[in-house]
Amino acid sequence: MQESELVDDWHAVASRLWIKDNAVTRISPEIIKKELWDPLEKEAFSLRSLAALESLQVLERFLWPNYTEDASNYHVLLLASVVDVKHRANLPVWDHFIDNPQQFSNLFRRILSMSLDSSLSLSSKLTLLSFIILSIVIWHNIHENSVREKHLEKSPGLRKAWRAASRRFEAADDTTKARIRFERGWLFSMLVDFLKRLNDIQLSQTGNLTYCQRSLELLIDLNSQLPTRRYLNVLLLDLNIVPLITISPMYGNKNNALLRDLVALFRHFVYFPIDENASHQSKTQAAHTLQSQALAELQRTALKHFKDKLTVLALSNYGSLNQRDELESHLSSLSEDELDQFCQLIGIRTEYPVESLVSLTKKSLLEIITSKYERRKPLEEVVTGLECLPTETSLYDPALLRNESYDGSTPLAVPKLNLQYLSLNDFLWRSFLLHRAEAFFEIRSDLEGVVRRMRPRSGRNTSSLEFGGFSRMGLPISKPAVIDVAPAKVGSPYPAYVRAEVILDVSRLGDTNRIEWDSLRPGDAVFLLAVKADDQHRNLNGQSQRSEDQGWRISNIRTAEIFQVLDDNGRGLRDPHGTQVNGFTSRPRQRRLLIDLDKRAYKADIEASTKDNVDIYAALNVLVRRKGRENNFKSILETMQGLTASGVNLPTWLQEVFLGYGDPNSARYTQLPNKIKSLDFRDTFLDWQHLSKSFPGRILEPIGEEPGSFDPPYVLQPFNDPPTATNSNPSKKRRRDQVEAAQPSPGAIKVSTYHLPNRGPYPMDNPKQNRVRFTASQISAIFSGTQPGLSIVVGPPGTGKTDVATQIINLLYHNFPSERILLVAHSNQALNQLFEKIIALDIDPRHLLRLGHGEEDLDRSSTQGSSYSKAGRVESFLENRDQYLSEVHRLAQSIGAEGAHGNSCETASYFHSVHIAPRWAKYWDHAHSASATQSSIVSSFPFHAYFSNAPVPSLFPEDASTAELVQIASGCEHHISVIFKELELIRPFELLRRPVDRANHLLATSARVVAMTSTHAAMNRRTIADLGFHYSSLVMEEAAQITELESFIPCVMQNPDARTGELALKRAVLVGDHLQNSPVIQNVAFDSFANLGQSLFLRLIRLGAPVITLDAQGRCRPSLAELFKWRYASTTPLTDLPMTSTSSEFLAANTGFKHDYQFINVPEYQGQGEREPSPHYIQNLGEAEYAVALYQYMRLLGYHARSISILATYAGQRDLIRDVLTHRCKGNALFGLPRTVSTVDKYQGEQNDYIILSLVRSRSVGYLRDPRRLTVALSRARLGLYILGRRDLWDTCSELAPAMQHFNARPGELEVVTGEVFPSARLLREPIEADKTATIAGVEHMGVYVFEMTRAKIESLGGEAVVNGMAMATEETVVGEGAEEEEVVEGEGVIAAEADEDDPLHEHIGGHFV
């Protein structure tokens, strides 16, 4: 059946049962079976049919509303099936059940009961395994009371819970007792059934294998989170579940690779060294002590009961006994019966239900004992032993390849990022494995893409290889020459380094491409490949390649790091000498790369070549580089390894909240003892009315001699009561529900003020002032962010979260001058936007430092031309030195002090102490004496000559009072003192000569606000921490777009205090919006299955941590805000600032448009809608043409190009739009190019007046079903939003229904207003005469309309009525494959997209309109 026919059939069923009249109709169980179950059963519950039903909202509008206690099993199974489909599509699931918890409880019990129903098919049982919850009552299944008592003795809390469960059972009626018995025995019964399936070789292997895999996934999920692990792991250890799995026939089948990998992951969590009751990981030494105690008990039992056979075991040292082979050799002397008795004596279960098919032989008993007592590698040792540099073995690991074909039908053997973690090392271990796999997946994809474009083929000599293609990122090479192998360092088995030389032929490269190769820097990773011809079209591991005509394979991969790039003559490229012929520099022919090979792989290769006489390095024939922003994997992985090995901890106040335990409110400032009692809010409040409205419900109590209201600045004392006691056991409801952070506890806020000191007579001395009138919610966020603890600020679009973050930084900078602030953002773009606003505040530029490679993109107009990188800051310090020394020289001249006082910082310091300080002391003695008069204060001032150039009529006005004169003199002293203070800070840069020493000193001592991206932090954590960098505050912008790992690393960018072991971090402010885009993960499996795209920001919110939601937007018209306000209705409703209803730009209509927003239906163009020339590279020519024509229409009306952005939902469409723009508009003075052409994902955090959005898809909605992306798309426009798409398709998407309701209230065809020129004098709500409007019917009509307007425009300007490049592209448009994303440079008419073989130019061929 065709896809369209299938959808039509299910749409007909939906129309009969639940779509009609938008009402839910009660349906009998017979109808559910006939209309839904039977057709699905005939199709074997195909995923296509279930997905079609899910898209028709069968769960939300039919199955769940019709569920009752009497619902049939078919109904329950259908519910579980649709939930599974939603989970596979990574769509919200549990939100649909929140409103009816009682019914959900009943549904859950039904699923538990049905999961043990032997009459159900195996496929039906598979859909029921994800609805599980555990409690202590399962301990009734432990085989001996003594074993249970041993565990109960470990914690009084456990014994209390056990007694409570027993009392609850004894007091229950018969029905409740039956339910409790079922709950007690459910998991045990499931485990028995699981063991049966592992051991029964008669069962069908395919379905049975999948069931066992899903069961293992369930057990791993339950055992990897502390609340369920506390009870489950005791039962698993009692059942000896891990050794029983490893001796089962199913595990023994080597074809069941996924099952074996899942068992390895399961084993890791079962034996994870953690004290479940104390909720902390056992240290290596503590784990060793527990292991030794267990072995001592084993030896005592052996000596007491089996002295004749186990005397050697009893006298052996622990180091030998914890080795599997040694222990097994000792125990093998016992018979099967003796082993059984020995197991009972040491507390190991030996009896199992008959249904489990477990038969304990001697081999089984030995496996159980050795599994219990063998030594396991510490987690730190496991992580450190994993390689960070890929080889062909790691890149083509079958487990990694298996992930690529993930469709949700089977689990994956990878750890998940959950809501809770067992320990910080557990979190780091999971993150390391996932990020390593993600990095290796991207590397392999890039390497294969480069080789594919190089088109290798067999040469005339079958043993040779030729390359018929070209790639910018790869070049053929000959065998690398190993030139130096350094001896191993002490304690290391590997060489210190292995240096090799590679010759690159660059004679045929274009200048641009050659410069890219010359730009390789020391430390950059490159990849050496051995590419071979392969007539079988197979790669190394037997996996079929994607290309049918591929006749090559990558047999070996070695990673290296650049040490140096040399020219033809072996000189460094920075060497000024060059080869010149007749005054011209000759074209380079070669580049010599000195590289450091992977020392681990090299040692293994040398050992293998000695054994097999195979030289891998002789076969290496291709060198591949990657783009810098994608090639930082090694540094990040090594950072994770280092953190795991160091056993790093978070600050005490944050650690439990991060792990997901305890009260999620405990890290908020209201619960901490070190609250800031008094804080100077400086320029935060503009006036008393602003202050009063910022704290609704609070009383403002002026203190001191000030009147009832007074002008800023304000110093607030908000706390009157002691901190509220923290509830260590919050209710489930509080954990489940979102906790909205409230204002500080009711009570009076004491307010005081002070007079701003005179800072000098020059304009530069005046402080910069804030001009933003913050709302009450913004003030709440600023208040919380300046206090110790964790602050989470949710900022919907346009609510000013960047302004909030900068004001927090401003207040922290001034209130805590001895502390430093670390500022982190996801992208360079967001960091630069934040940094530009910080520069505009009253923060000394010498205290600002911007690390990373995005600093060059800072707007120089907003930074006064200064550079804020390390080199730029050092240069700025030295430039300031010259200016300040010249001022010292002028000051010396003004007082007649002879000498070279302005030669250096040292001489200036001497000059200050000998000449300046005594003069000030003498002057103040007189000014403060009782005999001082106004005239004497002025006449005795010693620096009249120096301040003679001050831009004031008179330094000391004649009508000034004595107090005012003293203030003016004090300001002059401040101005002079700043000069010498600055020189004292600059002095180390004068003494330090090496640039690296100066830069390190800047970071370690001078910079107080340090900004970097999360990626830069992850790459350079160890370097920065080892420099002695310490900070007290962390402000993280775009926190919802940063992965958990990249959120964690900025929290530990410093070394702990040597005495206390605590980090100096006092506060962490996370600013973001979890309802917009999440972190981008390339591998779908890791995103949807392992939750690698989960951000710390979102996880903390899901855990119930208190948040502050900014609730007023000032970005766009209120009508445009309605398109995305519904996303925030369930938390804090989003309102509009008054300016959006009063400002002239928001009141004026959009010139030439009847509506300020429209969803314009774009039908098939030239017989087709979307197309996919390469995987995930989706284009829609009709929408691209319409978008460009609409842009041209706006430009012809007079709109500024810089005020228009064109967005697309796919990179392929973005590239197509760029090409159409290049063909139609580039170089044309009438049009030019728009400010930005980008994808929606890349445009988060940006805004523009007018947005043209192409949705691209015409067959299925695709990833835009995720409302987070739609929120970004709908919230970028300030004044006008015009969306192009297939309207009937988007109407069927339930997730987008609230937004579509607004669009559907307006026509689906563009309505324009004639006779208008930008800017329009028409108001937005002003009626329009009917004869002044026109409707554009489709792409062709829009093209003709714009063509005629253009011709008329040219004629009016006196030009010819021939319009070149105005033709619509035809079906012959050439579409490039696999175009890479390029950044769009802001600025009118500028789009940076370099053409290359990765991003070929799409040629548009067309004729004039007919």
Side-chain angles (χ1 to χ4, degrees):
M1 182 183 293
Q2 296 295 324
E3 186 80 23
S4 58
E5 296 177 359
L6 178 71
V7 174
D8 290 343
D9 288 348
W10 287 117
H11 194 276
V13 173
S15 298
R16 290 196 303 271
L17 297 182
W18 65 85
I19 290 182
K20 57 184 179 181
D21 300 327
N22 290 324
V24 176
T25 307
R26 294 292 176 181
I27 302 296
S28 66
E30 293 76 15
I31 292 180
I32 289 179
K33 182 177 186 303
K34 177 183 176 182
E35 296 282 2
L36 296 179
W37 181 268
D38 291 344
L40 287 170
E41 191 174 34
K42 288 179 181 178
E43 298 179 3
F45 291 88
S46 74
L47 186 58
R48 290 193 311 161
S49 291
L50 288 170
L53 281 170
E54 189 280 324
S55 66
L56 292 168
Q57 306 174 55
V58 67
L59 175 69
E60 304 93 307
R61 298 178 61 178
F62 184 68
L63 290 176
W64 180 237
N66 280 287
Y67 177 79
T68 63
E69 294 185 7
D70 301 326
S72 64
N73 284 353
Y74 303 118
H75 197 148
V76 175
L77 287 169
L78 284 171
L79 273 167
S81 299
V82 178
V83 166
D84 181 55
V85 171
K86 278 186 172 289
H87 179 70
R88 291 191 192 190
N90 208 21
L91 295 172
V93 175
W94 307 114
D95 295 347
H96 305 295
F97 301 100
I98 289 177
D99 294 337
N100 199 339
Q102 187 173 359
Q103 282 288 69
F104 181 75
S105 177
N106 177 267
L107 172 65
F108 183 74
R109 287 196 297 271
R110 288 282 302 276
I111 288 175
L112 286 179
S113 177
M114 289 171 62
S115 65
L116 299 179
D117 188 348
S118 59
S119 64
L120 287 180
S121 66
L122 197 58
S123 60
S124 297
K125 286 188 173 185
L126 281 172
T127 63
L128 304 174
L129 281 180
S130 57
F131 295 80
I132 303 298
I133 192 168
L134 300 181
S135 69
I136 198 171
V137 295
I138 66 172
W139 284 13
H140 280 278
N141 301 286
I142 295 177
H143 75 288
E144 286 186 2
N145 291 337
S146 59
V147 176
R148 182 168 58 241
E149 285 298 316
K150 185 185 297 185
H151 288 288
L152 291 175
E153 289 173 0
K154 295 180 180 179
S155 169
L158 288 177
R159 184 173 294 281
K160 182 179 179 181
W162 176 259
R163 289 172 178 169
S166 300
R167 288 196 299 268
R168 186 168 61 252
F169 176 79
E170 293 169 357
D173 54 26
D174 292 343
T175 304
T176 306
K177 283 184 176 180
R179 180 173 59 81
I180 294 175
R181 288 192 192 97
F182 172 77
E183 291 175 356
R184 286 177 177 178
W186 179 86
L187 182 66
F188 184 78
S189 301
M190 192 274 281
L191 290 172
V192 169
D193 182 61
F194 172 60
L195 291 173
K196 172 187 175 182
R197 295 178 181 280
L198 287 171
N199 291 289
D200 193 347
I201 59 176
Q202 304 298 325
L203 292 174
S204 169
Q205 286 300 304
T206 305
N208 198 41
L209 176 62
T210 306
Y211 182 85
C212 291
Q213 291 167 349
R214 284 294 185 191
S215 299
L216 277 171
E217 180 196 4
L218 171 64
L219 294 174
I220 291 169
D221 287 346
L222 296 174
N223 216 32
S224 61
Q225 299 193 86
L226 201 57
T228 46
R229 175 190 175 87
R230 274 196 184 101
Y231 308 125
L232 172 63
N233 206 51
V234 173
L235 182 60
L236 295 177
L237 291 172
D238 181 72
L239 284 169
N240 307 308
I241 195 77
V242 172
L244 290 181
I245 294 173
T246 57
I247 60 178
S248 66
M250 185 176 288
Y251 182 87
N253 186 345
K254 294 188 177 181
N255 293 325
N256 298 336
L258 175 58
L259 179 78
R260 297 166 72 91
D261 290 343
L262 284 167
V263 172
L265 185 61
F266 180 51
R267 179 188 292 112
H268 166 84
F269 283 113
V270 169
Y271 297 122
F272 189 86
I274 185 172
D275 184 343
E276 289 92 349
N277 303 310
S279 304
H280 62 76
Q281 181 177 343
S282 302
K283 299 295 183 182
T284 302
Q285 184 59 42
H288 177 72
T289 300
L290 292 174
Q291 175 79 354
S292 300
Q293 291 172 355
L295 289 173
E297 183 182 355
L298 178 77
Q299 288 179 314
R300 286 193 294 270
T301 304
L303 188 63
K304 181 177 180 180
H305 298 279
F306 300 94
K307 184 175 181 180
D308 295 340
K309 294 186 176 182
L310 298 181
T311 300
V312 177
L313 181 150
L315 299 177
S316 298
N317 61 62
Y318 297 153
S320 64
L321 286 183
N322 61 20
Q323 303 299 317
R324 171 179 282 267
D325 294 340
E326 290 286 336
L327 182 57
E328 191 171 330
S329 66
H330 288 304
L331 296 174
S332 58
S333 61
L334 299 180
S335 66
E336 183 174 324
D337 291 339
E338 288 173 329
L339 276 173
D340 188 286
Q341 180 186 357
F342 186 65
C343 286
Q344 294 180 37
L345 290 171
I346 58 178
I348 293 178
R349 179 195 285 263
T350 58
E351 295 182 357
Y352 292 86
V354 177
E355 297 84 356
S356 66
L357 300 183
V358 173
S359 177
L360 294 182
T361 62
K362 181 177 181 179
K363 179 181 177 182
S364 305
L365 294 170
L366 286 173
E367 175 64 27
I368 291 173
I369 297 174
T370 52
S371 294
K372 180 176 180 179
Y373 292 101
E374 69 177 333
R375 177 186 179 272
R376 297 174 182 86
K377 285 186 177 180
L379 196 59
E380 299 83 355
E381 187 178 333
V382 172
V383 173
T384 305
L386 293 172
E387 59 186 18
C388 296
L389 298 178
T391 64
E392 70 279 358
T393 304
S394 54
L395 289 186
Y396 287 97
D397 182 358
L400 184 61
L401 295 174
R402 187 191 305 130
N403 298 334
E404 289 189 35
S405 58
Y406 175 76
D407 60 359
S409 59
T410 58
L412 296 177
V414 295
K416 298 178 182 178
L417 300 184
N418 298 325
L419 285 178
Q420 299 173 327
Y421 300 105
L422 300 178
S423 67
L424 283 181
N425 268 10
D426 173 46
F427 162 74
L428 288 169
W429 172 78
R430 299 190 205 191
S431 298
F432 179 83
L433 292 185
L434 292 172
H435 280 271
R436 177 175 178 268
E438 167 81 354
F440 285 7
F441 165 78
E442 294 177 3
I443 291 171
R444 182 166 57 81
S445 300
D446 289 347
L447 298 185
E448 289 179 351
V450 169
V451 176
R452 188 182 301 112
R453 285 188 285 273
M454 294 178 71
R455 294 205 298 270
R457 59 173 180 256
S458 297
R460 295 179 181 179
N461 181 358
T462 55
S463 61
S464 65
L465 194 70
E466 296 178 351
F467 295 94
F470 171 75
S471 173
R472 287 174 49 217
M473 312 303 288
L475 288 175
I477 60 171
S478 56
K479 175 185 176 180
V482 177
I483 58 177
D484 188 13
V485 180
K489 295 181 179 179
V490 176
S492 173
Y494 309 109
Y497 62 83
V498 180
R499 190 149 299 152
E501 184 182 63
V502 176
I503 306 297
L504 299 182
D505 181 4
V506 297
S507 59
R508 298 184 179 182
L509 299 182
D511 289 342
T512 302
N513 193 204
R514 178 177 51 78
I515 291 172
E516 290 175 352
W517 283 98
D518 290 347
S519 300
L520 287 172
R521 297 172 300 172
D524 285 352
V526 294
F527 304 90
L528 306 170
L529 314 182
V531 181
K532 296 182 179 180
D534 186 3
D535 295 333
Q536 301 299 319
H537 299 182
R538 296 277 177 179
N539 69 15
L540 182 69
N541 292 282
Q543 300 292 324
S544 297
Q545 300 291 338
R546 298 184 182 90
S547 179
E548 295 180 359
D549 60 348
Q550 182 166 294
W552 54 268
R553 63 188 176 93
I554 301 175
S555 62
N556 298 99
I557 301 172
R558 292 295 176 267
T559 308
E561 293 184 57
I562 296 293
F563 177 74
Q564 191 177 10
V565 182
L566 308 176
D567 62 13
D568 309 54
N569 301 314
R571 291 191 292 262
L573 291 182
R574 296 182 181 273
D575 194 312
H577 301 288
T579 304
Q580 293 192 349
V581 178
N582 297 325
F584 295 96
T585 303
S586 62
R587 185 180 183 85
R589 290 185 168 275
Q590 288 185 345
R591 288 289 181 255
R592 298 184 180 185
L593 301 185
L594 296 183
I595 58 176
D596 288 336
L597 297 172
D598 180 358
K599 52 192 178 185
R600 286 193 183 193
Y602 181 80
K603 183 175 185 292
D605 293 338
I606 295 301
E607 294 172 352
S609 65
T610 304
K611 185 184 301 182
D612 304 330
N613 198 26
V614 176
D615 185 2
I616 290 177
Y617 295 91
L620 300 175
N621 53 7
V622 174
L623 186 139
V624 177
R625 64 184 174 90
R626 301 175 73 215
K627 291 185 177 180
R629 64 175 180 266
E630 302 164 353
N631 208 28
N632 48 36
F633 66 95
K634 178 177 179 290
S635 300
I636 295 175
L637 294 179
E638 287 179 344
T639 294
M640 282 188 274
Q641 281 185 323
L643 288 172
T644 306
S646 66
V648 66
N649 286 316
L650 288 169
T652 305
W653 58 268
L654 182 60
Q655 177 138 332
E656 283 200 358
V657 173
F658 181 90
L659 293 176
Y661 307 131
D663 183 3
N665 194 43
S666 61
R668 190 169 179 243
Y669 72 90
T670 56
Q671 310 300 317
L672 298 178
N674 59 335
K675 294 191 292 291
I676 307 300
K677 303 295 184 181
S678 177
L679 193 74
D680 181 3
F681 278 82
R682 297 178 60 82
D683 57 356
T684 303
F685 303 101
L686 304 186
D687 49 50
W688 184 269
Q689 183 184 20
H690 184 200
L691 173 66
S692 178
K693 289 185 176 181
S694 298
F695 295 97
R698 301 291 301 276
I699 299 173
L700 301 180
E701 180 182 314
I703 58 176
E705 300 178 357
E706 298 296 336
S709 63
F710 42 87
D711 293 332
Y714 300 120
V715 178
L716 303 187
Q717 300 177 28
F719 302 110
N720 304 308
D721 303 321
T724 307
T726 301
N727 180 8
S728 60
N729 293 307
S731 66
K732 292 182 180 179
K733 184 176 186 301
R734 181 160 79 178
R735 284 182 150 287
R736 183 173 63 246
D737 294 345
Q738 171 60 50
V739 179
E740 180 69 19
Q743 295 284 348
S745 57
I749 298 177
K750 295 181 179 180
V751 185
S752 61
T753 189
Y754 58 91
H755 295 289
L756 290 172
N758 191 311
R759 297 175 62 171
Y762 297 95
M764 68 184 71
D765 297 325
N766 296 326
K768 301 172 184 177
Q769 295 291 323
N770 164 61
R771 293 290 180 264
V772 178
R773 185 172 288 272
F774 294 108
T775 65
S777 62
Q778 289 175 320
I779 292 295
S780 178
I782 293 170
F783 183 90
S784 178
T786 54
Q787 292 289 329
L790 175 66
S791 299
I792 302 176
V793 181
V794 177
T799 53
K801 52 183 176 287
T802 304
D803 290 326
V804 168
T806 54
Q807 190 63 15
I808 290 173
I809 293 169
N810 186 26
L811 295 181
L812 292 175
Y813 173 85
H814 288 286
N815 279 275
F816 309 103
S818 62
E819 296 181 359
R820 294 194 200 168
I821 305 161
L822 177 62
L823 174 60
V824 175
H826 167 64
S827 64
N828 281 308
Q829 179 180 345
L831 191 62
N832 287 341
Q833 289 176 351
L834 188 58
F835 210 69
E836 287 167 7
K837 290 196 174 186
I838 293 173
I839 293 168
L841 298 175
D842 186 30
I843 294 180
D844 194 330
R846 65 188 171 88
H847 290 145
L848 299 176
L849 178 62
R850 166 75 164 84
L851 300 180
H853 296 293
E855 188 274 339
E856 60 272 11
D857 297 327
L858 272 171
D859 185 359
R860 291 290 178 245
S861 63
S862 64
T863 62
Q864 291 81 46
S866 301
S867 172
Y868 289 87
S869 65
K870 282 195 289 188
R873 285 291 83 204
V874 171
E875 183 180 350
S876 176
F877 268 92
L878 296 178
E879 289 176 355
N880 291 341
R881 169 185 176 273
D882 296 336
Q883 295 176 6
Y884 288 129
L885 289 177
S886 67
E887 287 296 303
V888 171
H889 180 71
R890 191 169 71 85
L891 181 61
Q893 286 182 327
S894 71
I895 62 174
E898 297 182 356
H901 301 294
N903 274 10
S904 68
C905 296
E906 184 178 2
T907 59
S909 176
Y910 177 81
F911 170 69
H912 177 263
S913 60
V914 172
H915 293 279
I916 303 302
R919 280 175 166 79
W920 279 117
K922 180 179 179 181
Y923 174 73
W924 289 122
D925 286 343
H926 170 72
H928 292 149
S929 66
S931 61
T933 63
Q934 293 183 2
S935 59
S936 66
I937 290 175
V938 174
S939 61
S940 63
F941 185 71
F943 302 107
H944 280 288
Y946 176 75
F947 288 102
S948 62
N949 65 345
V952 292
S954 173
L955 184 62
F956 294 97
E958 294 181 359
D959 58 347
S961 65
T962 301
E964 290 173 341
L965 293 176
V966 170
Q967 281 292 321
I968 292 171
S970 177
C972 293
E973 182 185 30
H974 176 268
H975 178 86
I976 291 177
S977 67
V978 166
I979 296 173
F980 292 99
K981 287 178 181 177
E982 292 289 333
L983 287 172
E984 194 62 31
L985 292 172
I986 295 171
R987 189 172 179 178
F989 297 97
E990 186 178 76
L991 299 175
L992 297 170
R993 294 302 179 184
R994 292 198 311 159
V996 64
D997 293 334
R998 289 173 168 177
N1000 291 341
H1001 176 79
L1002 174 70
L1003 176 63
T1005 60
S1006 297
R1008 286 187 51 204
V1009 180
V1010 180
M1012 66 187 77
T1013 63
S1014 56
T1015 302
H1016 186 86
M1019 292 172 59
N1020 298 279
R1021 183 263 165 192
R1022 181 173 180 179
T1023 302
I1024 293 173
D1026 288 347
L1027 287 173
F1029 175 66
H1030 290 281
Y1031 57 99
S1032 302
S1033 304
L1034 169 65
V1035 179
M1036 192 176 298
E1037 175 73 296
E1038 286 186 330
Q1041 288 186 270
I1042 303 176
T1043 62
E1044 279 206 90
L1045 175 73
E1046 291 180 330
S1047 298
F1048 170 79
I1049 291 176
C1051 297
V1052 291
M1053 291 288 290
Q1054 56 190 325
N1055 292 325
D1057 184 271
R1059 293 172 301 170
T1060 64
E1062 279 282 313
L1063 296 177
L1065 184 65
K1066 295 180 180 179
R1067 61 182 63 80
V1069 183
L1070 307 184
V1071 183
D1073 185 4
H1074 58 295
L1075 298 181
Q1076 296 189 61
N1077 281 346
S1078 59
V1080 177
I1081 304 300
Q1082 298 296 329
N1083 192 310
V1084 177
F1086 297 146
D1087 189 16
S1088 59
F1089 179 83
N1091 302 321
L1092 184 56
Q1094 174 177 269
S1095 66
L1096 174 63
F1097 188 88
L1098 174 59
R1099 183 168 69 88
L1100 291 175
I1101 291 176
R1102 292 179 62 195
L1103 284 168
V1107 304
I1108 300 167
T1109 302
L1110 308 183
D1111 56 6
Q1113 72 86 23
R1115 170 183 293 173
C1116 62
R1117 303 182 193 271
S1119 56
L1120 292 178
E1122 291 296 329
L1123 298 175
F1124 57 84
K1125 279 184 179 179
W1126 57 275
R1127 289 282 287 142
Y1128 303 91
S1130 61
T1131 54
T1132 300
L1134 188 60
T1135 60
D1136 303 305
L1137 289 175
M1139 59 170 289
T1140 61
S1141 300
T1142 58
S1143 175
S1144 59
E1145 65 173 345
F1146 292 119
L1147 293 176
N1150 292 344
T1151 303
F1153 293 95
K1154 185 176 180 180
H1155 306 286
D1156 53 353
Y1157 67 85
Q1158 257 191 289
F1159 191 118
I1160 304 166
N1161 184 55
V1162 181
E1164 288 190 353
Y1165 175 64
Q1166 296 181 351
Q1168 65 177 0
E1170 70 174 76
R1171 55 184 174 180
E1172 193 170 4
S1174 63
H1176 311 296
Y1177 193 74
I1178 303 175
Q1179 298 178 325
N1180 187 314
L1181 182 58
E1183 292 185 19
E1185 292 290 355
Y1186 207 129
V1188 174
L1190 190 56
Y1191 166 73
Q1192 291 177 307
Y1193 170 72
M1194 297 176 72
R1195 291 288 289 133
L1196 290 170
L1197 293 179
Y1199 286 89
H1200 298 293
R1202 64 177 178 271
S1203 67
I1204 305 171
S1205 294
I1206 303 179
L1207 305 183
T1209 54
Y1210 286 87
Q1213 184 74 352
R1214 177 207 58 194
D1215 295 337
L1216 183 58
I1217 291 172
R1218 285 178 177 177
D1219 289 339
V1220 178
L1221 281 167
T1222 301
H1223 183 68
R1224 302 280 171 70
C1225 304
K1226 189 175 183 180
N1228 191 322
L1230 284 178
F1231 305 120
L1233 296 176
R1235 174 182 177 179
T1236 304
V1237 179
S1238 180
T1239 59
V1240 171
D1241 287 353
K1242 290 283 185 180
Y1243 206 63
Q1244 178 165 341
E1246 292 288 301
Q1247 65 183 30
N1248 209 347
D1249 290 345
Y1250 307 96
I1251 298 292
I1252 301 171
L1253 172 64
S1254 172
L1255 296 180
V1256 187
R1257 302 305 295 267
S1258 61
R1259 300 172 191 162
S1260 63
V1261 173
Y1263 76 88
L1264 272 182
R1265 285 197 67 181
D1266 185 347
R1268 292 174 297 184
R1269 283 189 166 93
L1270 183 77
T1271 305
V1272 177
L1274 297 180
S1275 59
R1276 301 305 97 196
R1278 297 182 65 249
L1279 304 175
L1281 172 65
Y1282 301 97
I1283 298 180
L1284 309 173
R1286 190 66 58 85
R1287 192 155 171 168
D1288 56 353
L1289 170 68
W1290 299 91
D1291 279 337
T1292 63
C1293 183
S1294 61
E1295 288 79 8
L1296 313 183
M1300 290 305 300
Q1301 289 177 0
H1302 293 285
F1303 287 117
N1304 290 335
R1306 299 184 177 185
E1309 294 180 334
L1310 178 65
E1311 293 188 329
V1312 299
V1313 179
T1314 60
E1316 290 189 336
V1317 177
F1318 183 87
S1320 174
R1322 176 169 53 92
L1323 296 179
L1324 184 63
R1325 304 302 176 192
E1326 185 178 325
I1328 306 172
E1329 298 178 12
D1331 60 347
K1332 290 187 178 181
T1333 64
T1335 300
I1336 306 299
V1339 185
E1340 292 85 353
H1341 188 187
M1342 186 66 188
V1344 172
Y1345 194 83
V1346 171
F1347 179 82
E1348 295 298 336
M1349 285 184 65
T1350 307
R1351 184 165 61 180
K1353 182 75 170 179
I1354 293 176
E1355 289 177 349
S1356 69
L1357 296 174
E1360 298 181 6
V1362 177
V1363 185
N1364 295 322
M1366 283 299 299
M1368 304 293 282
T1370 70
E1371 204 168 348
E1372 299 171 352
T1373 299
V1374 179
V1375 181
E1377 178 180 351
E1380 297 176 357
E1381 293 198 4
E1382 301 288 349
E1383 293 294 330
V1384 179
V1385 180
E1386 291 189 6
E1388 184 171 352
V1390 180
I1391 298 180
E1394 182 181 343
D1396 53 49
E1397 88 291 346
D1398 295 331
D1399 189 7
L1401 181 64
H1402 310 315
E1403 299 175 2
H1404 294 272
I1405 306 169
H1408 294 291
F1409 285 114
V1410 179

